[in-house]
Amino acid sequence: MAVFEEISPADFFYRNRDIAGFSSPSRAIYSTLRELIENSLDACEAVRVLPEVRITLRELRPSPTGAFFYSVRVVDNGSGVPGDKIPQAFGQVLFGSKFRLKQTRGTFGLGGTMAILYGQITTEMPAHIVSSTGDRYIHDYELMIDIQKNKPNVLRYKVHTNRDGWHGTLVEFTMEGDYTRAMPKVLDYLKQTAIVNPYADITFVDPKGRLYVFERTIRKLPSPPKETLPHPYGVDAETLYRLIAMTNTKSLSAFLMEHFHRVGKSLAGKVLERANLDPNRSPKTLTPSEVSDLANVMRSFEDFLPPDASCLSPLGEEILEAGIRKELNPEFVFVTKRKPSAYSGYPFIVEVGIAYGGGIPRTGDIVLYRFANRIPLLYDETSDVSWKVIHNLMDWRYYKVNPAEDPLAIIIHLCSTKIPYKTVGKEFLSDRPEIEREILNGVRLAARNLMLYLMRKRRFEIGKKR
Amino acid sequence: MAVFEEISPADFFYRNRDIAGFSSPSRAIYSTLRELIENSLDACEAVRVLPEVRITLRELRPSPTGAFFYSVRVVDNGSGVPGDKIPQAFGQVLFGSKFRLKQTRGTFGLGGTMAILYGQITTEMPAHIVSSTGDRYIHDYELMIDIQKNKPNVLRYKVHTNRDGWHGTLVEFTMEGDYTRAMPKVLDYLKQTAIVNPYADITFVDPKGRLYVFERTIRKLPSPPKETLPHPYGVDAETLYRLIAMTNTKSLSAFLMEHFHRVGKSLAGKVLERANLDPNRSPKTLTPSEVSDLANVMRSFEDFLPPDASCLSPLGEEILEAGIRKELNPEFVFVTKRKPSAYSGYPFIVEVGIAYGGGIPRTGDIVLYRFANRIPLLYDETSDVSWKVIHNLMDWRYYKVNPAEDPLAIIIHLCSTKIPYKTVGKEFLSDRPEIEREILNGVRLAARNLMLYLMRKRRFEIGKKR
Ligand SMILES: Nc1ncnc2c1ncn2[C@@H]1O[C@H](COP(=O)(O)OP(=O)(O)OP(=O)(O)O)[C@@H](O)[C@H]1O
Ligand SMILES: Nc1ncnc2c1ncn2[C@@H]1O[C@H](COP(=O)(O)OP(=O)(O)OP(=O)(O)O)[C@@H](O)[C@H]1O
Ligand SMILES: [Mg+2]
Ligand SMILES: [Mg+2]
């Protein structure tokens, strides 16, 4: 007889922790550090503060499985978390502040909690969280996660007076891991994070006591992404339903103008005409099939205005080129920032850089660097949409480029209010057609510029010979 | 000011449907069909019935995004679902009957619900479910999912008298998809499903009205996997905590013997001695650090008995070889079933087949077929642990095999009470060390047998020349 049960989302990720990126002791170290660092960078940018992130990883003792127990500690000077929200922010899965339509590194509401959960199941020790938003109090928690209920369990809570007006967050817990195996990827992650976040000061003390310092190279934060309305292109019926349920607008025309990005009276009129709906009707009177028709029209309507980029925070060509030159020391660099586009209602911008020669090694293939919302992606590159573009969709011979012989690197940064990660561990991007097209066009433009450079170079060298 | 929210698991997978395998209209067709077929095969095996699964995909009309709207319908003669459980089984994410320690295709409690959710958000139409467990009633539901609450919304419920004692389930709903793009993978999936489930009758009517029939080639079900106790090797403290919370045993010794697989009095005694715990203590008196010590000892204890395979249902060498010969028509086949092993408390068995020559094409690389719990895995092979073993860990030259030139296929089947999928879409397996080791040893044994065959063959051909 079948036994039916329901499980909490924390229990789901406990049972399937491979899915969240915690598949082995070395991968757990990488995933833990990246989740905490990304939380810290988000928190600093949220309050327009130049980030200072201090990471310490201390080896405690060997673990029974041939790995080690570590103490992880990450401190930042960011927004902090309100005292009453700390238990859920860190002790409940699918709880967070980043479900809004704004570009942030975090998006699922589970990364930080997952790291703490993994630490808990491998060491049975509580997590220590200290945080203040800069007001009069510093909140000091010791907590564990009730995995079956997906609820925090506060073991101890102290409040300190905040004499210096400190703001920020300290997260500290023990976990089993394998830093020796994880080290190359961890250092790679820190290095590439520094490239695309040049305004951040990051320090890392590793288990051997070695200190790594990534000093900021610019003192200016990028312009902050603003929260935005959903873009009408690609909206589905569920989104429409939710907006209709909570709207105060009294007419369909006002409904479209109020709740969608860059929809004015005349555009709203055209959309409603095509959907055969009276612009003056109250949105709450629509039947399910009328909602479905409206969604279908909006998904095929070609004349919406492209999103403006105010909800996005691209690197910009200057920062991207400077980072490429500093790290790769190439002979030739070309960078391009594509115009804003949208998929399924989410605005996005693709930035592409191409680098040739100089310090770039000949590896027999193009070296691919991938970034999403300023996060370096270091795993599963062959499953990523960028890989597909470069290896399956680009015709390099047309550009007189031979990927097997030329020393070539391609850098791709995607920023969006929702990055279409294929995995919970944020390892690679799914091949959404609109995004694939933008990456392809960006790489083609970059390839064309490389081709012109190489032609001039070869002509020059031929000229020299004569 | 940060706005904190919590979202339901249905909402999580709605917002991140790429993660569940619904990343494009063509992928959605594949994911929907596979999730429903796997549910049907599980349901038939659960009541020891030779499976009959009828799949119909009808094209309704074009969709606004250049894809199409389809009606999907899957009928089986399996266990059926109890009437009062149908709404949650199909309308709630993380609800199901496969959270037990028994080999089943389903494991997450969300595949079927996700398919219905995707149909709902693309067509705004309800799903139609008809099911009976073979008793006096047939339950007939029309339902939708309240995504924000993760709860089913029953629109209509009828009960019919079950005159013929029918048992089984019919699932029917509309969705947007792209069958033309999905077709090669869908047909591949059906073909490979038929290979590793030769006792199943599967028919598929595609949108063009073409009928595909996969007749059963054997009339005998594999011996049914039994539900099992967790294997003690690799158990973590959270598992111990839950068992302690619900145990009725009065001593630690009885606790270990009662709740773990193949633990007898003397083994329990050795484990407790090493953990410095009195075997007569009540389990509920353990402190957190004692639970942690016990987990650590159990995770490093080398002398647990290997799991018996009663909770597993491998293909068996006969079925695996027959399937390989029928499909690939090779000159040489070798198959091996490894002994049961365990990772993190979950028993597993690896089965490896190698096929050479004959009908196997020379593709410049080894053709890899992957299966997990009798499910074909058709995506992301380069991220899979089997790919890593074959391409990074195997030294083929040692076996006088040249993967780039020899016509070679490798077939790997992993069965376990928990398959370590790296993704919710069940695309590829994570590289758990114990599983990687078993696959590597199986492939080595297969390669050694191929080497002996090729040596005899070449000696024979050299002999013929003289
Ligand atoms: N260092 C920090 N400073 C300020 N707030 C934080 C910090 N770390 C976590 N938070 C808060 O806790 C919430 C939950 O964090 P968590 O990492 O679990 O999810 P997320 O960052 O929202 O999404 P993701 O799973 O994609 O990382 C965040 O949304 C944020 O509000
Ligand atoms: N055709 C069917 N016959 C009988 N029971 C079914 C059928 N389809 C679904 N169910 C029941 O509904 C539950 C939920 O199905 P769902 O596919 O959402 O999750 P699952 O199969 O348990 O796990 P997974 O997400 O890995 O597929 C199943 O556990 C099963 O009990
Ligand atoms: Mg986070
Ligand atoms: Mg299922």
Side-chain angles (χ1 to χ4, degrees):
Chain A
M1 204 52 236
V3 176
F4 288 85
E5 310 171 70
E6 64 184 43
I7 60 171
S8 79
D11 206 352
F12 175 80
F13 286 111
Y14 161 62
R15 294 165 184 247
N16 302 296
R17 78 199 71 138
D18 298 72
I19 289 189
F22 287 80
S23 47
S24 66
S26 70
R27 196 64 176 260
I29 290 284
Y30 177 85
S31 297
T32 293
L33 292 179
R34 63 129 356 149
E35 293 291 354
L36 297 182
I37 292 167
E38 289 161 21
N39 281 348
S40 292
L41 291 175
D42 275 346
C44 295
E45 291 172 10
V47 289
R48 309 287 297 147
V49 160
L50 289 171
E52 282 167 29
V53 187
R54 311 250 169 283
I55 308 142
T56 312
L57 190 64
R58 268 191 308 124
E59 187 182 302
L60 300 176
R61 58 187 180 279
S63 90
T65 55
F68 294 89
F69 289 115
Y70 297 89
S71 158
V72 185
R73 178 186 223 253
V74 177
V75 191
D76 63 66
N77 59 338
S79 59
V81 184
D84 60 331
K85 296 287 189 281
I86 290 174
Q88 283 176 297
F90 295 97
Q92 180 175 330
V93 161
L94 301 186
F95 181 94
S97 59
K98 302 172 198 168
F99 295 124
R100 312 262 106 189
L101 279 177
K102 188 170 128 188
Q103 176 182 325
T104 47
R105 294 170 187 75
T107 172
F108 299 140
L110 60 89
T113 311
M114 195 60 215
I116 289 173
L117 190 155
Y118 181 85
Q120 174 174 320
I121 61 180
T122 54
T123 65
E124 217 41 54
M125 300 290 293
H128 184 214
I129 319 281
V130 181
S131 190
S132 174
T133 53
D135 63 4
R136 301 195 297 156
Y137 302 111
I138 297 179
H139 306 273
D140 186 329
Y141 279 92
E142 223 177 63
L143 56 84
M144 293 183 90
I145 304 174
D146 181 331
I147 298 178
Q148 285 181 299
K149 295 206 181 90
N150 189 30
K151 288 267 164 273
N153 214 345
V154 175
L155 303 184
R156 184 182 61 66
Y157 174 41
K158 295 207 233 103
V159 182
H160 313 274
T161 324
N162 189 3
R163 299 184 203 291
D164 316 308
W166 173 70
H167 55 81
T169 304
L170 175 151
V171 179
E172 188 170 36
F173 57 89
T174 52
M175 65 178 284
E176 182 188 43
D178 186 346
Y179 180 71
T180 319
R181 278 230 175 83
M183 179 164 142
K185 284 288 210 256
V186 169
L187 295 182
D188 218 357
Y189 177 87
L190 292 172
K191 192 153 89 111
Q192 294 192 29
T193 293
I195 294 177
V196 292
N197 301 279
Y199 47 86
D201 252 1
I202 302 175
T203 63
F204 172 50
V205 179
D206 82 357
K208 293 268 177 288
R210 290 178 283 232
L211 171 68
Y212 297 84
V213 179
F214 302 86
E215 277 183 335
R216 65 172 58 99
T217 53
I218 61 179
R219 289 205 57 84
K220 184 164 137 316
L221 281 170
S223 55
K226 301 205 194 73
E227 188 172 337
T228 183
L229 299 170
H231 194 268
Y233 175 70
V235 160
D236 62 44
E238 172 74 14
T239 302
L240 280 182
Y241 258 115
R242 293 186 193 187
L243 292 170
I244 289 173
M246 56 100 134
T247 189
N248 295 322
T249 56
K250 299 285 179 277
S251 74
L252 280 175
S253 171
F255 171 76
L256 290 180
M257 298 201 295
E258 170 102 348
H259 292 290
F260 292 98
H261 182 68
R262 298 188 85 190
V263 174
K265 201 156 168 56
S266 98
L267 257 186
K270 289 203 192 106
V271 171
L272 293 167
E273 178 178 9
R274 207 183 286 185
N276 249 327
L277 294 168
D278 171 12
N280 295 316
R281 263 179 77 178
S282 162
K284 299 202 196 277
T285 65
L286 289 185
T287 65
S289 92
E290 286 173 325
V291 175
S292 174
D293 291 341
L294 180 55
N296 284 341
V297 165
M298 289 174 77
R299 289 171 66 210
S300 55
F301 192 74
E302 290 296 323
D303 303 328
F304 284 123
L305 298 171
D308 72 50
S310 65
C311 58
L312 296 175
S313 174
L315 300 171
E317 294 176 353
E318 199 175 329
I319 284 185
L320 183 53
E321 177 156 351
I324 294 174
R325 288 205 181 278
K326 175 164 182 282
E327 275 315 306
L328 302 178
N329 199 16
E331 171 188 322
F332 167 82
V333 181
F334 173 81
V335 298
T336 175
K337 181 173 80 169
R338 306 283 303 162
K339 295 219 179 321
S341 193
Y343 83 95
S344 295
Y346 301 114
F348 71 88
I349 289 174
V350 168
E351 300 177 278
V352 178
I354 195 166
Y356 170 89
I360 296 180
R362 271 192 173 80
T363 60
D365 201 355
I366 299 173
V367 186
L368 172 61
Y369 295 88
R370 300 168 289 140
F371 299 91
N373 284 1
R374 300 173 183 263
I375 298 171
L377 306 182
L378 301 189
Y379 284 94
D380 296 322
E381 66 173 0
T382 55
S383 298
D384 193 292
V385 60
S386 296
W387 179 272
K388 180 182 172 193
V389 166
I390 293 178
H391 285 79
N392 303 354
L393 304 183
M394 274 297 285
D395 178 10
W396 289 102
R397 284 168 309 177
Y398 176 82
Y399 298 96
K400 315 269 190 295
V401 171
N402 183 353
E405 297 201 353
D406 297 328
L408 196 57
I410 301 229
I411 300 87
I412 298 185
H413 178 236
L414 172 74
C415 63
S416 176
T417 52
K418 173 146 226 57
I419 299 286
Y421 291 113
K422 200 90 200 289
T423 59
V424 174
K426 291 180 186 152
E427 283 115 356
F428 59 95
L429 308 188
S430 118
D431 52 351
R432 289 293 187 121
E434 300 87 341
I435 293 178
E436 187 177 282
R437 186 170 52 239
E438 279 300 302
I439 294 176
L440 179 58
N441 289 338
V443 174
R444 280 180 176 153
L445 180 64
R448 198 171 316 136
N449 275 269
L450 174 62
M451 174 174 77
L452 294 174
Y453 169 80
L454 290 178
M455 283 168 65
R456 284 197 303 271
K457 178 181 179 191
R458 289 165 188 162
R459 226 176 289 150
F460 177 70
E461 290 176 348
I462 290 172
K464 272 173 73 179
K465 291 206 180 95
R466 294 179 185 150
Chain B
M1 207 51 238
V3 175
F4 288 85
E5 309 170 72
E6 65 184 43
I7 61 172
S8 80
D11 208 351
F12 174 79
F13 286 111
Y14 161 63
R15 293 164 186 249
N16 301 297
R17 76 198 74 138
D18 300 75
I19 289 188
F22 288 79
S23 46
S24 66
S26 70
R27 196 65 175 258
I29 289 286
Y30 177 85
S31 296
T32 292
L33 292 179
R34 64 133 349 151
E35 293 291 354
L36 297 182
I37 292 167
E38 288 160 23
N39 282 348
S40 292
L41 291 174
D42 275 345
C44 295
E45 291 172 8
V47 288
R48 309 287 297 147
V49 159
L50 289 173
E52 280 166 31
V53 187
R54 312 252 170 279
I55 307 142
T56 312
L57 190 63
R58 267 191 308 122
E59 188 183 299
L60 300 175
R61 57 185 180 280
S63 91
T65 56
F68 295 88
F69 288 115
Y70 298 89
S71 157
V72 185
R73 176 187 224 256
V74 176
V75 192
D76 63 66
N77 59 338
S79 59
V81 185
D84 60 331
K85 296 286 189 279
I86 290 175
Q88 283 175 296
F90 295 98
Q92 180 174 331
V93 162
L94 301 186
F95 181 93
S97 59
K98 302 171 198 168
F99 295 123
R100 314 261 106 189
L101 279 178
K102 189 171 128 188
Q103 175 182 327
T104 47
R105 294 169 187 75
T107 172
F108 299 139
L110 58 90
T113 312
M114 196 61 216
I116 289 174
L117 191 155
Y118 181 85
Q120 175 175 317
I121 61 181
T122 53
T123 64
E124 216 43 52
M125 299 289 292
H128 183 214
I129 319 282
V130 181
S131 189
S132 174
T133 54
D135 62 6
R136 300 197 298 158
Y137 301 111
I138 297 179
H139 307 273
D140 186 329
Y141 279 93
E142 223 177 64
L143 57 83
M144 294 184 89
I145 303 174
D146 181 330
I147 298 178
Q148 284 180 296
K149 295 204 181 90
N150 188 31
K151 288 265 165 276
N153 214 343
V154 175
L155 303 185
R156 184 180 60 66
Y157 174 40
K158 293 208 231 96
V159 182
H160 312 275
T161 323
N162 188 4
R163 301 185 203 291
D164 316 307
W166 173 70
H167 56 82
T169 305
L170 176 151
V171 179
E172 190 171 35
F173 57 89
T174 51
M175 64 178 285
E176 183 189 40
D178 186 344
Y179 180 71
T180 319
R181 279 230 175 82
M183 180 163 142
K185 284 287 208 263
V186 168
L187 296 182
D188 219 356
Y189 178 87
L190 291 172
K191 194 153 87 104
Q192 294 192 29
T193 292
I195 294 175
V196 292
N197 300 279
Y199 46 88
D201 252 3
I202 302 175
T203 62
F204 172 50
V205 180
D206 81 358
K208 292 270 177 292
R210 290 177 285 232
L211 171 67
Y212 297 84
V213 178
F214 302 86
E215 276 184 337
R216 64 172 59 96
T217 54
I218 63 180
R219 290 204 57 82
K220 183 162 137 320
L221 281 170
S223 56
K226 300 205 194 72
E227 189 172 337
T228 185
L229 299 170
H231 194 269
Y233 175 71
V235 162
D236 61 45
E238 171 73 16
T239 302
L240 280 181
Y241 258 115
R242 293 185 193 188
L243 292 170
I244 289 173
M246 58 99 136
T247 189
N248 295 323
T249 57
K250 299 285 178 275
S251 74
L252 280 174
S253 172
F255 172 77
L256 290 181
M257 298 202 293
E258 169 104 348
H259 292 290
F260 293 96
H261 182 68
R262 298 189 86 190
V263 175
K265 200 158 169 56
S266 97
L267 257 188
K270 290 202 191 107
V271 171
L272 292 167
E273 178 177 9
R274 205 184 287 187
N276 249 327
L277 293 169
D278 170 13
N280 295 315
R281 264 178 78 180
S282 160
K284 301 206 196 270
T285 66
L286 289 186
T287 65
S289 91
E290 286 172 324
V291 174
S292 175
D293 291 342
L294 180 55
N296 284 340
V297 165
M298 290 173 78
R299 290 171 66 212
S300 56
F301 192 76
E302 292 294 323
D303 303 328
F304 284 122
L305 298 171
D308 72 49
S310 63
C311 58
L312 296 176
S313 175
L315 300 172
E317 294 176 353
E318 199 177 328
I319 284 185
L320 183 53
E321 175 154 351
I324 294 173
R325 289 206 180 275
K326 173 162 183 282
E327 276 315 306
L328 301 179
N329 199 17
E331 170 189 322
F332 167 83
V333 182
F334 174 81
V335 298
T336 175
K337 180 173 80 171
R338 307 281 304 161
K339 294 218 178 326
S341 193
Y343 82 95
S344 296
Y346 301 114
F348 71 89
I349 289 173
V350 168
E351 300 177 277
V352 178
I354 195 166
Y356 171 89
I360 296 181
R362 271 190 173 82
T363 61
D365 202 357
I366 299 172
V367 185
L368 172 61
Y369 294 88
R370 298 170 290 140
F371 298 92
N373 284 1
R374 302 174 183 261
I375 298 172
L377 306 182
L378 301 189
Y379 283 94
D380 296 321
E381 67 173 0
T382 57
S383 297
D384 193 290
V385 59
S386 297
W387 179 273
K388 180 181 171 192
V389 166
I390 293 178
H391 285 79
N392 302 354
L393 305 183
M394 273 299 284
D395 178 8
W396 289 102
R397 285 168 309 178
Y398 176 83
Y399 299 95
K400 316 270 190 294
V401 170
N402 183 352
E405 298 198 354
D406 296 327
L408 198 55
I410 301 226
I411 300 87
I412 298 184
H413 178 236
L414 173 74
C415 63
S416 176
T417 52
K418 173 148 226 56
I419 300 286
Y421 291 112
K422 199 92 199 289
T423 59
V424 174
K426 293 182 185 151
E427 283 117 354
F428 59 97
L429 308 188
S430 115
D431 54 351
R432 289 291 187 122
E434 300 87 341
I435 293 178
E436 186 177 283
R437 186 169 52 239
E438 279 300 303
I439 295 176
L440 180 58
N441 289 338
V443 174
R444 280 180 176 152
L445 179 63
R448 197 170 318 137
N449 276 268
L450 174 63
M451 174 173 79
L452 295 174
Y453 169 80
L454 289 177
M455 284 169 65
R456 285 198 302 270
K457 179 180 179 191
R458 286 164 191 163
R459 227 175 289 149
F460 177 70
E461 289 175 348
I462 289 173
K464 274 174 73 180
K465 290 208 182 90
R466 295 179 186 149

